Amino acid sequence: MPMSVNPTFRGHSMLLSEMAETLGVDLAGAVRRGDIAPLEMINRVYRCQSCSSPDICSKFIAAHKQTGARLAPCYCRNKEALEQMARVEATPSTRARRDKR
């Protein structure tokens, strides 16, 4: 019997991925490279689920779809982690290593 994924978990997983993309972070790539353990990724989704304003998050993402954003909104439960990843991914040495793969 296939395991089903909670729709709320799936929705917040998408929000987390979209917020990361808005900040220039490739979460899926980070998991594939081993930069983030799969369990940590799950914990980040659970943090996202604890947010009481996913609709505001969706609006932030939509407003920054074309331009991106340097910072996550203050209410983001994953703000610190995503911004740290964005800073690391923005460094020339990180981009060069990623581009070689």
Side-chain angles (χ1 to χ4, degrees), residues 8-9 12 15 42-54 75-78:
T8 302
F9 185 91
H12 282 271
L15 279 176
I42 291 168
N43 287 335
R44 289 179 186 190
V45 176
Y46 284 136
R47 263 185 243 121
C48 184
Q49 275 186 278
S50 72
C51 179
S52 61
S53 303
Y75 51 82
C76 180
R77 309 284 188 190
N78 290 290

Side-chain angles (χ1 to χ4, degrees), residues 5-63:
V5 176
N6 178 320
T8 302
F9 185 91
R10 182 175 294 148
H12 282 271
S13 178
M14 291 300 299
L15 279 176
L16 177 60
S17 293
E18 290 172 1
M19 181 62 75
E21 185 178 316
T22 300
L23 298 175
V25 174
D26 176 12
L27 282 179
V31 172
R32 278 192 307 275
R33 290 188 304 272
D35 297 341
I36 300 175
L39 183 58
E40 176 56 27
M41 186 65 182
I42 291 168
N43 287 335
R44 289 179 186 190
V45 176
Y46 284 136
R47 263 185 243 121
C48 184
Q49 275 186 278
S50 72
C51 179
S52 61
S53 303
D55 53 329
I56 296 172
C57 183
S58 294
K59 289 176 184 174
F60 176 89
I61 292 166

